[in-house]
Amino acid sequence: MPAVSDPQVSTVHGTVRGRRATVAGRPIAVFKGVPYAAPPQGPHRFRPPRPPERWDGVRDAADFGPTPPKPPYSEPFARILADPALPGDDWLTVNVWTPDPDPAARLPVAVWVHGGSLTRGSSALPVYDGLAFARDGVVLVSFNYRLGVEGYGLFPDAPPNAGLRDQLAALEWVRDNVAAFGGDPDRVTVFGESAGAISIGVLLASPRARGLFHRAVLQSGPPQTVERDRVRRMVRRMAARMKVPATAEAFARVDPAALLAAQREAGRRSSPLLGGAAFGVVVDGDLVPEDPMTALTRGDGAAGIDLLMGWTAQEHLLWLGPSGLAEQFDRLGPLALAWAKARCRGGPGVVRGYRALLPGAGAAEVVGQVVTDHLLRRPVHRLAEVRRLAAPGARTHLYEFAWPSGVPGLGACHALELGFVFDTVDVPEAAQLTGAGAPRWLAREMHGAWVRFITHGDPGWPAWDARHPVRRFGPEPGGAVLHGPRDRAFALWEQEPGPGEPALAPTATG
């Protein structure tokens, strides 16, 4: 039974009752599973989100809402990546952790957008618990959005990007309601990792998202869209397996379990690193009027928004290590290096240059670094440089996470930093990826930097300038600010830009 003292907040759709928690002696109010949109069911299954119906009385907000349909991770990824599945149809909900649910508090707000390749993940993962942010004076908001074909399928009879439209609706909910939870709607930072960071990068360039957030953190994900044909191939593969037309109307009549099974089979050979057919945000002429990197490098959209962006030192090991591809690439040697050259459309000097920069590294490490730089680090670097040269009033900070996991073969892999950002390295779900005994000092350093950026726009090291400062987190306490640590690698691409790819601005080291 809820206690009389449980916190209550009135939203624009009705009153919600949360629960109280205490962290480091500080009381925190927690609200979970609050609807920001109506359940996307029946004729609305593949349609843009609609406002939730108002409710009378007090709605209990003690538990996370249901998670959107998603296939489970396959082995061996399920051993290192937790992904809880909660039953139900009311997927589009938010969660709020606040140190002071008083409209007069006007505290900084952080809105978390989870990753998972737009096919997995949810806000219910214990690693994303917002207690540490609330402990440190930040109102933390997280939410679910539609995934996979339900969120990012491309059909002739339904608008695209339903999942991204969910994200926009959640940010509009924050604008309209966060003040009631003690947050300041004029001090909102969005932060996300992987697909969450990619989504934020798209929203940075979207005219419809203007004014909904004022700072942004992109962790291991650049602003990007996917080719419409890649998404169409996924939808057609699913339609062929289910023996139905490739339309939203036909897919909406398919049992959700059968739809997930078809999605899993159709995407079996897809990978963020290796490519292939995949679900993703597409240019739609509406919410996404053009390629976001094109808009942002032109200076549109994010000129007045402070950015914190970065990567891990060995992003690729999350995909190559558990899958056994690292061993295969090392065995293939020159063939793997040739594949990387073709995958990234780089000249012959690129792979040769990386081999020289990584003496003693096997083919898998060289391939991983080449592909990661092509897909992730160079676009982030390009955006930082454009902002430095064309929008000097907007601050940009870059980081690299370099602490290696205690799990053999993972190194400083993709997603490893999450428990440190949220200061949740002690939860079992974080330890699946970090291994036992993750350093508390690193969690203090990284979480503290994020709190400073959310609160003041300054994470604690110099903003991006001609010296190219990058804050490295780990492996030693205190970290270091390095200048142009990857400029030599990026310069290799400038010498031989791929076909159809514009050259970047010159690097600090030439």
Side-chain angles (χ1 to χ4, degrees), residues 101-154:
D102 182 340
R106 306 293 287 186
L107 297 167
V109 179
V111 181
W112 171 246
V113 186
H114 71 79
S117 299
L118 298 178
T119 56
R120 296 179 174 89
S122 76
S123 62
L125 184 63
V127 176
Y128 305 152
D129 191 287
L131 284 174
F133 279 105
R135 174 199 68 198
D136 296 331
V138 173
V139 177
L140 192 284
V141 181
S142 65
F143 62 90
N144 294 336
Y145 56 95
R146 279 174 283 181
L147 304 169
V149 71
E150 304 242 8
Y152 296 92
L154 191 56

Side-chain angles (χ1 to χ4, degrees), residues 49-347:
R50 300 165 297 121
E53 292 186 6
R54 289 188 55 85
W55 61 85
D56 296 324
V58 179
R59 181 184 179 115
D60 197 43
D63 300 310
F64 288 114
T67 52
K70 53 187 175 171
Y73 282 111
S74 58
E75 290 290 341
F77 292 99
R79 294 198 296 267
I80 58 175
L81 298 174
D83 194 14
L86 305 178
D89 297 330
D90 196 359
W91 309 318
L92 304 183
T93 59
V94 302
N95 318 292
V96 183
W97 290 259
T98 175
D100 188 1
D102 182 340
R106 306 293 287 186
L107 297 167
V109 179
V111 181
W112 171 246
V113 186
H114 71 79
S117 299
L118 298 178
T119 56
R120 296 179 174 89
S122 76
S123 62
L125 184 63
V127 176
Y128 305 152
D129 191 287
L131 284 174
F133 279 105
R135 174 199 68 198
D136 296 331
V138 173
V139 177
L140 192 284
V141 181
S142 65
F143 62 90
N144 294 336
Y145 56 95
R146 279 174 283 181
L147 304 169
V149 71
E150 304 242 8
Y152 296 92
L154 191 56
F155 301 99
D157 56 339
N161 299 322
L164 189 70
R165 295 172 193 274
D166 292 343
Q167 295 178 20
L168 183 71
L171 289 170
E172 291 171 341
W173 184 94
V174 170
R175 176 197 62 198
D176 297 339
N177 292 281
V178 80
F181 293 86
D184 185 348
D186 295 321
R187 278 202 295 168
V188 174
T189 300
V190 288
F191 71 127
E193 186 266 346
S194 192
I198 290 170
S199 300
I200 292 169
V202 174
L203 292 173
L204 278 168
S206 173
R208 291 185 55 186
R210 302 273 167 82
L212 293 178
F213 54 89
H214 314 90
R215 297 182 180 120
V217 183
L218 279 65
Q219 301 170 214
S220 299
Q224 69 179 27
T225 54
V226 301
E227 296 176 355
R228 296 172 73 93
D229 281 348
R230 288 185 68 190
V231 181
R232 286 195 184 100
R233 286 198 298 271
M234 282 288 285
V235 172
R236 288 168 182 162
R237 287 180 186 177
M238 292 180 63
R241 287 185 174 276
M242 298 183 297
K243 296 180 172 56
V244 300
T247 65
E249 181 182 8
F251 274 45
R253 293 196 296 266
V254 176
D255 176 76
L259 197 66
L260 277 183
Q263 177 180 306
R264 185 172 184 176
E265 287 300 315
R268 186 173 293 278
R269 296 181 181 179
S270 300
S271 162
L273 194 68
L274 305 182
F279 291 115
V281 178
V282 299
V283 174
D284 60 18
D286 173 26
L287 180 56
V288 190
E290 63 177 321
D291 175 74
M293 184 61 81
T294 299
L296 292 172
T297 53
R298 192 175 58 236
D300 292 358
I305 294 177
D306 295 330
L307 294 186
L308 171 58
M309 303 185 291
W311 50 72
T312 72
Q314 294 172 297
E315 301 269 0
H316 59 281
L317 287 180
L318 181 65
W319 298 290
L320 298 189
S323 66
L325 283 172
E327 291 83 354
Q328 293 183 41
F329 280 168
D330 282 338
R331 286 197 302 270
L332 290 170
L335 289 176
L337 297 175
W339 173 85
K341 174 178 171 293
R343 170 78 171 91
C344 301
R345 297 176 297 171

Side-chain angles (χ1 to χ4, degrees), residues 345-369:
R345 297 176 297 171
V350 171
V351 172
R352 187 167 58 245
Y354 273 78
R355 292 182 69 184
L357 291 173
L358 299 167
E365 181 67 15
V366 176
V367 167
Q369 294 293 354

